[in-house]
Each structure stands twice: as structure tokens, then as C-alpha cells.
Amino acid sequence: MSIKRIISIFRNDFVNSIRDKMIVYLMIAPVLLALVVRFFIPGYENISIKFGVEESLKPSIGAFLENYADVEYFENRSEIYNRIEQYDDFFGISTSSDGNFDFILQGNENERNIEIADGLLNYYSTPSVVRDSLDIEIKSSGKTLPILATIGFIFVILVSYLFGGLTIAFNMIEEKESETLKALDVTPLKLSELVVGRSILGYFMPIVHAYLGVLIMGFEGINMFMLLIITLVSSLIGIVFGFAIGFISSNQFNGITNMKIGLLILMIPTILTFFLPKGAQIFLYWAPTYWSAMALKDLVNVQQRWGNMFIQISGIILTLTIFILILTPRFKRTLKL
Amino acid sequence: MIKRIFFNFLKEVKIGWRGNYFLLTVGIAVFYIVFIQFLLPGFINQNTNVYIFTEIDFEIDYEDIRIEEFENVFFVNDLDELHSKLDKNRESFGIYISGTESNPKVELFIQGNEDEALKEVYKISILNSFGVLSENNFNKVYLNNKISSPIKMNNYMVPILLLTEAVMMGIIFVFTMIFTEKNEGTIYAYSVTPGKIFEYLLGKVLYLIFLGLIFTSVFCVPLFGFRVNYLELFLVIALGSFFSTSVSLIFASFYDNISQSLFSMLALNLILIAPMFSYLIPSFNPPIMRIIPTYGILFNLRNILFSDYGNLIYSDLLVILLEGIVFFLISSVLYNRMIKKK
């Protein structure tokens, strides 16, 4: 393997990326995403139980509910009805004809939210002597990050390496279309040199993004060495994904279709990692992005252990190896280097 | 005019047929059916583990404090064990009961970064579970029927897939269509014919709506049979597809090839699928999410597929239609200008 040839491939891609501003996007996109996540997702867990209360009840139950929930005030009952009919879980409080209160629901609310809302109304209805008869203290360790902050961070890294991979893919497709790739066939360049030279950018960029992501999100107590290892191994997913699309697709049209299917196959397991219970996650073991997401999830929640991480990165490598083995004959056929 | 739009549409259908796009659409739909039916579980057990340690010299009647409401309850022998259990399972929580019968004390150990209001809510939930609070005498008024049976988790994912595939199918495809035609010069050749550029673009929009409807039919009929109102479903998919394709037409006008446009294309995709998080996590519902047009589309799709959730909200559909029209008109102006420049 000649370092000189690898460097010239890298230089060529680098110059091309600067020319069409790809490199700027590649660097900025994940950082922007991290900022968006940081800005819109609260760093703490909160519930947004929402109540709509009739204006006249503002001093009584309205003021009470404001301590625990988001409260909006409405002129009359029909306005509350209109708001409840919207898509989200929203409860209404209004005076009933018998002078009592009505607790208005749409009927499709999340059961847990109904329970919480009902509990709040029970608390309101109970005399304070009784409420205070049990001494309760809440101790929060702050160890578990809000699920959305974790997903956001994983997406920052995922976007970083997938975007790197896609740059590889579309550079290759353009070269195929302009027949440059065929010209390379008659040079001494080896397949391995092409792969390494082309991967350098997409491989190292995610490390920068991972560290910036941790800084922007303000995560604490993260083992930075583990982060480095997980990111380096995860970046391989982007590289394999990029080359797979680049080799398989004969033109941009084809490339975009393959990209769509590929992204789908890689993104779905990442999202499901958070929403499927542990027992059902066996269905996701085939996906390298699942292992990567699990490793990052444990890391940012400061519960990653070396043994566990070793299993997860082995998962990434093993699944990628299987993908590569399946695709290699196709690669070789496309490019007889 | 109608005739020209129809022929433009027909041209796109022919090109799509030759490029196996119909086969691809059906293939993706079949893949999703397998995914929904066989890979995703219908019901998931999300019971949180609760670890309890008591240090009291009086008896607690656990039935009395409705402890069965917490599923997966484990009693541990000391506080250290309680903390180590919590450390091993970050989704669990712990309860420590101490004090005397006349003055009992409860400590709840949770593991997130909860804000003060949420801690208070937890406190109230404990008081409620322990039967300290009296039942409120508010009259419960339901606007619609209560949900008759819980929706299966795998079916609940269907609206998301309809959004990403049927509604947003145009986003990626329109980029490639435009780039190919820019490179081959078709779009410039068309400009010297009597056809108007908006007719040309409308042909593409209609074709992508058509593909979206094919996807919806192949995907939904095997899963839901004919108990869904397909007219409403097709209406939402068509409007959503019109909106997303029109937006993408605008973006695609600024670039000449895929590499240049990758960033915008993916950013647009990410923004438009963001409401998915409000859908999956009902308590996450910031106003910024609600102004993304796909928010209304996603929840309307849910309401159509699972009628227990409520009715179709037509005012939202009207907004999406108007937004679609505005974006489409802007795109027509942009393409006209682009051709004139050339």
C-alpha cells in the first residue's frame, strides 16, 4: 500500500469538496444539529401536563395547577372544547351546571397523563392537614439523561458519519458517470488504497463532532477515551455505507434511491433502540447502528463499562464484516482494481 | 392546459415505470409490512422496576397502599442494596419507608434530572398511591368515546412510515428528477414549447402524489383491511405529498447535482420528520413542533387509522393546502427565472 497514492486520493477529494462547499456542510451540519438539540430539548426531565381552565377559576384551581402543570386560560367552555380537540393531551377544567367542577377529557389521552391529572385534582380536593400527614422526600440522582437529549446526541454522531459516507458515495458516482473510475483501472492504484484514501475525511470528522457534541450538550462525567473508541469504530459504518452505495449505484438517480433505502435500514434500528423493550431488541442485533447507538447511550448515561463496550463494538464490527462479505463480489465486479 | 398537465404526468409515469420506480415503491411497502407484522412486537411490557426497603417497627398493609399499582416490585434488605439495584437499572426507582406509625416517612429515589414541578408531581402520585388523598368530586366529562382497546405498538408506527414514505417520498425523488433534467437540458427544451413551466412542475407533483397513493394502498390494505376511511387517508397523503414536493422543488432549484444538495436535502428531511418525536413521546410537545406542517399531517394520519383518537381536523388540512400552493407558486417563479437566465 503506497502512502503517497493514498494521500493523493485524499487530496483530490479534499479539493473537490472545497470547490462545491461540501467540506463546509460536512463540518457544520452535525454542529448545527447539536445546537438545535441543545436549544430545543430541555436538559431536565419535565412533564407537560396541560390544563385549560376557565378564566373565572383562575384564582382558585388555576393558581393551584400552575404550580405543577402548564395552564392556559379560556373565556368559556366551548373554547376549552376546541383546544381539547387538538391532537395533544390537554385537560379542561370548567364549572359545571351543579356548581361543582367538571374535569373535561377527550377520551384518547395517555393513561399515565390521566392518572397524573387525576392525582393533582385529588390533591387539590384533600385538606392540607391530611396531605401533610405523610412526610415524603424526593431524591433525584440526576444520573439518567432525558431520553431526547440522548437521542439528539446519538443523531449528531450518526449524521456526522453517515454524511461522511454519503460524500464518499456521491463522489464515486460522479466519477463513474464521468468515467474517471474506469481510468483508475489502468493506474497502479489498488482497491485498498482507494478505500483508505477516500475514507480519511469521513473517518476522522465524527471524532471532532463527537467531542464538540459533548461540549455543546454539556454532558458531564463522560469517559472521553471510550468516546474516541466508540466513534472510531462507528465511523466505519459510514464508510462501508458510502462505498456500498458508491459501488452499487450506476448513476445519481440510482444512488439516491439506494441512499433512501440504506438510510432507512440504518436509521430505524437507531430510533427503535430507545422505544423497544430490552427483550425485543434481539430483532435489532443485525444492525451496526443499533450497537453504535447502544454504546453511545450507555456512555452518555455514564454507565458504560469496558466489557460491555467491547461487546457492543464487536457487534458493530461483526455486522459490518457480514455486510462487506456479502457486498465484496459486487464491489470487485464493479471495479476490477 | 389540463391536457398538457396530464401528458406531463403521463410522461413522468412512463419514465418512472421504466426506471422501476413503481416496483421499488411496492417493494418498500412490502418490506414495511413484513417489518410491522413480524419484526415489531404488538404489545410491550414497559413496567418499571420498583425497589422497596422498609425500616419500620409497624406493619404495612401493602394492599391498603395500593402497592400492586407499581408492577415489578422487589423488596431489598438495606439501603446499599437499594442503591446498587438502582445503579444497575437506570429506568427503575426506589422507595425507602421509615419512621413510626404515627409519623411515617417516605423517601423516593429517582434517577433523572427532574425539575421541581415534576418532583412535586411525583410526591402527589405517591400520596395518591398510598391512599392518603381523598377522591376528587370533579365530574369527568368525555368529549368523545374513551379509547376502546389499546392500540398495538407496531400499528402505532404506521403513521410515521406513511409520513416518511408516502408523504415525503417526493423530497428525495424530486431532487434527482430536477438534476437529471437540468443536465440533460429537458427543462430548457420544454421552455420553448407552448407549455407553461408550472404545468411541467405540476406533472411531477402529480406523479409523486400518485406514487405516494400506490404506496399507501399496498401498505395499508393488508394491515388494516377496509375498516379505514381510505378517502380521508388518500386526501391527507395527497395534500402532504403536494406540500413536501413543492418545498423540495424550491430547494432543488438552487443546486445542480446531488453532492451539492445533500446537506439541504437531509436537513429538510430531518426537519419534516421531527414531529415524530412528539408522536412517540406524548409529553414532548413544544410549540415549535406544532408549526412544522408535518405535525398536523402525522396526527391526522393517526386519527384516520385509529378513529378512537378523534376526527380529521380539516382546518389543518386547509393550512397545508394553502402552504403547498404558496410553495408551488414560488417554485414556478424560481424555475421561470432560472430558465430565463440560461
Side-chain angles (χ1 to χ4, degrees):
Chain A
M1 210 187 274
S2 150
I3 300 285
K4 208 174 150 194
R5 283 199 290 264
I6 292 176
I7 290 174
S8 39
I9 289 272
F10 168 70
R11 202 171 41 211
N12 182 43
D13 278 5
F14 190 73
V15 171
N16 273 341
S17 308
I18 287 181
R19 207 173 292 146
D20 53 18
K21 297 194 195 92
M22 271 310 286
I23 190 103
V24 183
Y25 295 147
L26 200 64
M27 285 195 296
I28 288 179
V31 179
L32 268 182
L33 185 66
L35 286 170
V36 168
V37 171
R38 171 77 206 224
F39 190 72
F40 289 111
I41 294 172
Y44 50 83
E45 213 58 77
N46 68 355
I47 42 149
S48 46
I49 296 280
K50 285 168 278 189
F51 280 96
V53 178
E54 231 173 76
E55 193 73 53
S56 58
L57 301 175
K58 193 172 181 175
S60 54
I61 190 157
F64 164 78
L65 287 173
E66 276 178 25
N67 298 321
Y68 311 101
D70 296 336
V71 183
E72 273 178 63
Y73 293 98
F74 295 87
E75 282 293 312
N76 52 48
R77 202 180 170 98
S78 69
E79 278 183 22
I80 298 182
Y81 280 10
N82 287 340
R83 178 61 187 86
I84 291 176
E85 292 279 2
Q86 293 288 319
Y87 311 107
D88 53 342
D89 285 3
F90 193 91
F91 303 105
I93 304 286
S94 160
T95 342
S96 65
S97 46
D98 58 8
N100 216 330
F101 292 126
D102 276 349
F103 174 34
I104 312 162
L105 304 96
Q106 193 176 2
N108 61 13
E109 288 84 357
N110 183 297
E111 231 171 85
R112 183 174 161 262
N113 286 352
I114 299 180
E115 247 170 59
I116 292 174
D118 215 25
L120 289 178
L121 301 181
N122 285 346
Y123 191 73
Y124 178 75
S125 313
T126 308
S128 60
V129 188
V130 181
R131 288 180 196 169
D132 300 338
S133 62
L134 184 63
D135 182 7
I136 296 180
E137 201 179 332
I138 310 282
K139 290 187 171 164
S140 173
S141 67
K143 282 180 182 166
T144 308
L145 288 170
I147 184 172
L148 278 167
T150 316
I151 296 180
F153 177 69
I154 290 172
F155 259 76
V156 169
I157 297 180
L158 188 86
V159 164
S160 175
Y161 67 69
L162 288 184
F163 208 54
L166 288 174
T167 319
I168 296 176
F170 285 96
N171 270 338
M172 282 185 70
I173 296 171
E174 273 164 36
E175 284 177 4
K176 256 189 198 175
E177 285 182 321
S178 58
E179 311 249 312
T180 327
L181 218 51
K182 267 190 192 156
L184 290 178
D185 206 6
V186 292
T187 67
L189 184 75
K190 292 195 190 98
L191 177 63
S192 53
E193 291 162 357
L194 177 80
V195 170
V196 174
R198 185 139 276 177
S199 311
I200 293 174
L201 203 61
Y203 192 61
F204 291 104
M205 204 65 98
I207 301 170
V208 181
H209 290 138
Y211 283 99
L212 275 177
V214 168
L215 265 181
I216 293 172
M217 307 280 287
F219 291 155
E220 281 166 15
I222 289 185
N223 184 328
M224 291 297 185
F225 188 55
M226 282 182 170
L227 180 66
L228 178 74
I229 296 175
I230 296 172
T231 318
L232 279 177
V233 178
S234 298
S235 290
L236 292 172
I237 303 173
I239 309 280
V240 173
F241 172 62
F243 275 104
I245 290 183
F247 277 120
I248 291 171
S249 319
S250 48
N251 54 43
Q252 294 205 11
F253 219 71
N254 221 306
I256 209 89
T257 319
N258 291 331
M259 174 187 96
K260 191 169 166 63
I261 297 172
L263 282 179
L264 194 94
I265 292 172
L266 293 176
M267 295 282 230
I268 288 180
T270 312
I271 295 169
L272 288 181
T273 304
F274 291 88
F275 297 99
L276 276 191
K278 270 215 166 102
Q281 289 187 357
I282 194 162
F283 293 117
L284 305 174
Y285 284 2
W286 56 269
T289 37
Y290 162 76
W291 296 106
S292 167
M294 282 300 278
L296 288 166
K297 182 182 162 195
D298 289 343
L299 184 74
V300 293
N301 282 306
V302 201
Q303 58 175 159
Q304 186 61 285
R305 291 177 183 84
W306 285 103
N308 186 42
M309 190 186 84
F310 180 72
I311 295 172
Q312 288 160 336
I313 57 174
S314 305
I316 302 177
I317 294 170
L318 192 71
T319 46
L320 279 181
T321 312
I322 295 170
F323 272 106
I324 294 171
L325 285 178
I326 295 171
L327 291 169
T328 304
R330 184 81 192 254
F331 289 176
K332 290 204 166 152
R333 228 180 306 141
T334 316
L335 191 74
K336 292 179 201 128
L337 281 177
Chain B
M1 182 179 86
I2 304 257
K3 207 171 156 189
R4 276 200 299 262
I5 294 172
F6 178 71
F7 279 112
N8 276 325
F9 165 69
L10 219 57
K11 177 204 80 180
E12 299 297 346
V13 171
K14 273 183 192 162
I15 296 175
W17 184 263
R18 270 185 228 135
N20 290 330
Y21 272 68
F22 287 88
L23 199 65
L24 183 78
T25 306
V26 173
I28 294 180
V30 172
F31 167 76
Y32 275 145
I33 293 171
V34 173
F35 177 70
I36 291 282
Q37 286 292 64
F38 303 108
L39 291 181
L40 279 184
F43 291 102
I44 53 174
N45 170 17
Q46 267 188 326
N47 297 336
T48 317
N49 285 0
V50 183
Y51 299 100
I52 299 181
F53 171 52
T54 54
E55 212 171 20
I56 42 175
D57 50 11
F58 58 94
E59 283 291 312
I60 296 178
D61 187 346
Y62 287 104
E63 264 180 41
D64 217 32
I65 64 171
R66 291 151 66 190
I67 204 86
E68 75 277 7
E69 280 185 13
F70 306 118
E71 288 161 76
N72 302 344
V73 176
F74 302 95
F75 287 91
V76 294
N77 299 318
D78 53 50
L79 265 182
D80 286 342
E81 193 184 346
L82 186 110
H83 285 298
S84 83
K85 292 276 185 202
L86 291 182
D87 236 14
K88 279 190 190 130
N89 182 349
R90 284 292 170 77
E91 270 119 51
S92 61
F93 63 91
I95 296 176
Y96 170 48
I97 308 174
S98 60
T100 59
E101 194 161 7
S102 56
N103 188 19
K105 189 172 183 228
V106 176
E107 281 176 52
L108 174 71
F109 297 96
I110 46 180
Q111 312 205 52
N113 274 305
E114 291 80 4
D115 65 355
E116 285 310 311
L118 183 56
K119 282 185 190 166
E120 285 302 308
V121 169
Y122 281 156
K123 207 184 250 186
I124 293 172
S125 297
I126 293 262
L127 286 172
N128 207 24
S129 300
F130 280 27
V132 176
L133 304 180
S134 40
E135 275 305 308
N136 66 68
N137 52 356
F138 285 54
N139 313 315
K140 263 191 188 151
V141 179
Y142 287 95
L143 296 190
N144 301 326
N145 292 332
K146 274 177 82 174
I147 289 185
S148 42
S149 57
I151 289 158
K152 281 184 173 178
M153 205 280 278
N154 52 354
N155 286 342
Y156 193 69
M157 295 292 159
V158 171
I160 296 183
L161 298 176
L162 281 176
L163 175 72
T164 56
E165 295 311 311
V167 172
M168 289 165 57
M169 183 179 278
I171 295 186
I172 287 183
F173 286 164
V174 102
F175 275 85
T176 38
M177 286 161 110
I178 294 293
F179 297 148
T180 314
E181 296 185 7
K182 268 187 188 176
N183 288 336
E184 290 171 357
T186 331
I187 193 162
Y188 306 108
Y190 184 83
S191 64
V192 292
T193 68
K196 304 255 179 351
I197 203 75
F198 84 89
E199 295 166 357
Y200 180 78
L201 297 176
L202 202 56
K204 292 187 192 313
V205 172
L206 290 175
Y207 162 66
L208 288 165
I209 291 177
F210 184 55
L211 269 189
L213 295 181
I214 289 181
F215 176 88
T216 310
S217 318
V218 178
F219 183 43
C220 289
V221 174
L223 288 178
F224 296 97
F226 290 96
R227 60 173 191 271
V228 170
N229 185 336
Y230 280 95
L231 262 182
E232 286 184 349
L233 186 62
F234 287 165
L235 177 72
V236 175
I237 297 285
L239 286 176
S241 178
F242 173 54
F243 163 80
S244 66
T245 311
S246 302
V247 176
S248 329
L249 276 172
I250 295 182
F251 278 79
S253 72
F254 299 120
Y255 305 98
D256 293 317
N257 61 47
I258 303 266
S259 307
Q260 286 172 2
S261 66
L262 260 183
F263 174 72
S264 317
M265 198 194 301
L266 293 180
L268 189 62
N269 260 295
L270 275 181
I271 293 169
L272 293 183
I273 61 167
M276 172 178 87
F277 291 105
S278 289
Y279 182 80
L280 291 172
I281 308 168
S283 61
F284 178 69
N285 206 349
I288 184 94
M289 273 307 176
R290 279 178 263 159
I291 58 169
I292 301 175
T294 40
Y295 178 90
I297 297 172
L298 182 60
F299 282 89
N300 264 317
L301 287 173
R302 179 197 68 179
N303 289 6
I304 296 169
L305 293 179
F306 316 108
S307 49
D308 277 351
Y309 273 106
N311 302 321
L312 200 61
I313 299 181
Y314 284 98
S315 57
D316 276 7
L317 295 186
L318 189 69
V319 173
I320 294 163
L321 174 69
L322 290 175
E323 284 168 339
I325 292 174
V326 170
F327 286 125
F328 182 76
L329 291 177
I330 295 174
S331 69
S332 300
V333 172
L334 286 172
Y335 282 89
N336 263 323
R337 201 183 290 171
M338 181 185 85
I339 288 164
K340 272 182 195 149
K341 252 190 198 168
K342 188 91 176 175

